[in-house]
Amino acid sequence: ALEAETDMTRRRAQFRRLLSPNLVEQIVAGKLQLEKGGELREVTILYADIRGFTAMSESRPAPEIVAMLNEYFEVMVEVLFRMNGTLDKYVGDEIMALFGVPVDTPDSTVRAVECAIEMQHAIDEFNRTRRAENQQPINIGIGVNTGEVVYGAIGSSKTVQYTVIGDVVNTASRLCSVAK
């Protein structure tokens, strides 16, 4: 029994390095299968990215940019997980997050908007620290959209990723792009 519990703890820790905590718990509990497929579901998508990131990355050494991104992601993902969001992926400087999957929650849209507000507060604090260390502050844009998507494991026979597909996702990304 102790060996099985240790194995379960080790598996949980490995999954947590790759997946959001709520996905890990669903997989460990056997409620979520790592097989390709999908289902229609109303989901709220949140995108957040750094304004002027390309220019910033061209004018600074790569190790400095990576360190800044890791610090930024640490802060943003902490907020995301506190609001029960699921990290879908990082795309460069962008975070794509989901609310309402893997567990369907009736308040997922409200949680996503609250998450966006908390991210704005967190970036203000992040920038206070950056200024105190004589580093350039960063600005972010956030887009949120809700609608029906296909949610599930999508990928190849060798690897899959839990994500969402649908026009709702593209609209959330566009909203993030135009957000000031």
Side-chain angles (χ1 to χ4, degrees):
L2 182 58
E3 187 176 309
E5 189 174 315
T6 302
D7 185 51
M8 181 73 76
T9 302
R10 188 172 48 251
R11 285 183 58 209
R12 191 176 269 127
Q14 289 171 332
F15 277 130
R16 281 196 176 122
R17 299 281 299 158
L18 300 171
L19 302 169
S20 293
N22 49 6
L23 276 176
V24 172
E25 294 310 315
Q26 294 290 313
I27 290 168
V28 171
K31 296 178 183 173
L32 194 59
Q33 301 300 315
L34 293 174
E35 297 168 7
K36 288 192 290 183
E39 65 179 75
L40 279 174
R41 172 100 55 103
E42 183 169 286
V43 175
T44 300
I45 296 99
L46 179 150
Y47 277 94
D49 73 0
I50 298 173
R51 294 295 172 246
F53 179 76
T54 301
M56 183 187 306
S57 63
E58 290 172 350
S59 65
R60 304 223 185 283
E64 183 181 323
I65 294 298
V66 169
M68 183 272 302
L69 275 177
N70 285 334
E71 291 171 15
Y72 165 73
F73 288 145
E74 192 73 36
V75 170
M76 294 295 108
V77 171
E78 174 67 30
V79 172
L80 175 64
F81 288 172
R82 192 170 61 244
M83 302 306 293
N84 292 322
T86 298
L87 176 64
D88 185 289
K89 65 180 71 84
Y90 301 109
V91 181
D93 63 310
E94 185 174 65
I95 294 170
M96 179 180 168
L98 310 174
F99 292 81
V101 287
V103 178
D104 189 12
T105 52
D107 63 344
S108 61
T109 301
V110 172
R111 282 186 179 275
V113 172
E114 289 173 346
C115 182
I117 293 167
E118 288 301 313
M119 285 177 159
Q120 291 171 353
H121 294 308
I123 203 68
D124 288 344
E125 185 61 35
F126 181 76
N127 281 330
R128 272 193 279 285
T129 302
R130 288 184 62 79
R131 283 187 197 96
E133 296 171 352
N134 292 319
Q135 294 178 335
Q136 179 182 356
I138 63 171
N139 297 308
I140 62 172
I142 302 173
V144 177
N145 195 28
T146 300
E148 197 168 77
V149 298
V150 174
Y151 167 74
I154 298 168
S156 73
S157 61
K158 298 193 180 3
T159 182
V160 295
Q161 178 179 21
Y162 272 88
T163 193
V164 292
I165 302 293
D167 189 53
V168 172
V169 179
N170 301 332
T171 302
S173 178
R174 284 196 225 54
L175 289 170
C176 181
S177 295
V178 298
K180 302 291 181 191

